[in-house]
Amino acid sequence: MDIVIDSLTYTYPGQAAPALKDVSLEIGAGELCCLIGANGAGKSTLCCAIAGFVPHFYKGEMYGSVVVGGVDTVQRSIGDLARRVGIVFQNPFDQITGATLTVFAEVAFGLENLGTPRDETRRRIEDVLRKVGLWELRDRSPLELSGGQQQRLAIASVLAMDPPIIVLDEATSQLDPAGTRDIWRIIARLHAAGKTLLVAEHKMEYVARHASKVVLLQGGKVIACGSPREVLGRDDLARCGVRRPPFMEIMRGLTQRGLWQGPMPLTLEDAAAVLKEVARR
Ligand SMILES: Nc1ncnc2c1ncn2[C@@H]1O[C@H](COP(=O)(O)OP(=O)(O)OP(=O)(O)O)[C@@H](O)[C@H]1O
Ligand SMILES: [Mg+2]
């Protein structure tokens, strides 16, 4: 297991109620685990706990344990954990160092801290900036980028470090549909290459299509953990503040009327094929 969380209860400083309540979770190596849940459910807090920002940066009160790549997060510094787990924050502005003048230098920043050789650094930076579509903007100031571009830059900075575990907290929230598709294509490629990924995401069509595991949070608690079909098929999903992709609602309607008994399609294309089949019958 790459990530093992055992009975984690965490309260931010000065808060009466915990943001995470008795969370236990295991994420295997090579898994693409999606975190879903309403605003305030605890997705970002859980992401930060896996990268060690909870409790090292936020402080507060933590019970239970988080073990990432075999090490207990409480025992290590954030810098030490950064070699094992890279995190893209929900707000890209939180990620930008403010210490560099160009997009290129921003990506180089983390690599130089790791002591990567110069030629290797250049090659890696070009590779990741091309991947996220920012190579043309390499000489721009990070502060002049749009929200979506800053989000791409944050992703590039983490990819450049090439950690075995990558946490993406709503990394597509500021991107348009085409930008979102680009980033999810990168996520799918990382998954295929064997990275362990934890992705908090509100866009359920991507969760349905790509996740190997889905964790549903509500009020800081894990409500469900299972395959996308299991978790997105739950009757209480709307009550947890999560909306299924529209094609899944249509398919559920067909199933309830006895028109479709097969497995729930997880992509729009598969749903369209089923609809054609049902219409033909
Ligand atoms: N820095 C903080 N200090 C105090 N409370 C916080 C802090 N960050 C989050 N919280 C609280 O912790 C709870 C969980 O918040 P969190 O940001 O983890 O939810 P989320 O699922 O990521 O929501 P969203 O979908 O809006 O990003 C909420 O009640 C929130 O108000
Ligand atoms: Mg969040």
Side-chain angles (χ1 to χ4, degrees):
M1 285 294 152
D2 259 6
I3 302 172
V4 182
I5 301 174
D6 186 21
S7 315
L8 171 64
T9 295
Y10 171 74
T11 311
Y12 283 101
Q15 299 297 305
L20 293 174
K21 296 171 193 156
D22 199 24
V23 170
S24 292
L25 201 60
E26 294 195 344
I27 301 172
E31 201 134 34
L32 198 182
C33 178
C34 284
L35 272 183
I36 64 172
N39 293 328
K43 302 180 296 296
S44 294
T45 308
L46 189 54
C47 288
C48 284
I50 288 165
F53 285 79
V54 159
H56 292 299
F57 176 77
Y58 287 101
K59 312 295 179 198
E61 205 169 25
M62 173 171 153
Y63 297 96
S65 67
V66 178
V67 175
V68 175
V71 309
D72 189 318
T73 55
V74 173
Q75 312 292 333
R76 305 295 175 106
S77 67
I78 289 179
D80 190 2
L81 289 168
R83 291 165 191 272
R84 296 163 206 272
V85 45
I87 180 167
V88 176
F89 293 107
Q90 180 163 1
N91 180 356
F93 207 76
D94 290 342
Q95 193 112 19
I96 287 171
T97 59
T100 60
L101 296 177
T102 66
V103 164
F104 190 95
E106 179 70 20
V107 179
F109 190 82
L111 285 176
E112 278 157 11
N113 283 344
L114 280 188
T116 313
R118 208 162 242 252
D119 287 352
E120 164 78 3
T121 301
R122 258 207 75 84
R123 200 185 49 72
R124 269 211 230 174
I125 297 170
E126 178 168 351
D127 177 54
V128 296
L129 284 178
R130 284 194 191 281
K131 260 193 193 132
V132 302
L134 282 183
W135 178 243
E136 308 303 324
L137 300 182
R138 62 187 176 278
D139 295 326
R140 255 324 147 76
S141 160
L143 303 175
E144 284 168 8
L145 301 179
S146 70
Q149 289 165 341
Q150 287 186 343
Q151 217 152 31
R152 289 165 189 268
L153 176 56
I155 294 167
S157 300
V158 168
L159 291 184
M161 313 271 279
D162 196 29
I165 303 170
I166 297 179
V167 178
L168 297 146
D169 188 4
E170 296 193 36
T172 66
S173 59
Q174 315 241 9
L175 296 170
D176 61 8
T180 300
R181 221 176 305 124
D182 288 348
I183 296 304
W184 267 101
R185 212 172 282 142
I186 295 172
I187 295 171
R189 247 187 266 138
L190 292 168
H191 180 42
K195 291 273 184 221
T196 303
L197 294 143
L198 182 75
V199 182
E201 181 59 275
H202 275 295
K203 297 169 186 165
M204 289 308 130
E205 63 273 27
Y206 289 98
V207 173
R209 184 184 288 267
H210 293 293
S212 64
K213 184 185 235 172
V214 180
V215 174
L216 171 63
L217 287 174
Q218 188 188 29
K221 287 194 187 136
V222 174
I223 302 293
C225 173
S227 70
R229 211 167 256 129
E230 280 164 358
V231 178
L232 295 180
R234 286 175 68 98
D235 293 330
D236 63 354
L237 202 65
R239 252 175 289 139
C240 293
V242 176
R243 283 165 63 150
R244 260 182 283 275
F247 74 81
M248 274 197 175
E249 288 301 344
I250 295 170
M251 293 310 305
R252 280 168 69 88
L254 290 182
T255 303
Q256 278 154 12
R257 287 184 188 80
L259 292 168
W260 172 249
Q261 268 82 43
M264 170 65 77
L266 293 173
T267 66
L268 190 56
E269 302 88 80
D270 287 354
V274 168
L275 273 179
K276 248 187 221 160
E277 160 83 17
V278 169
R280 196 176 52 78
R281 274 197 261 127

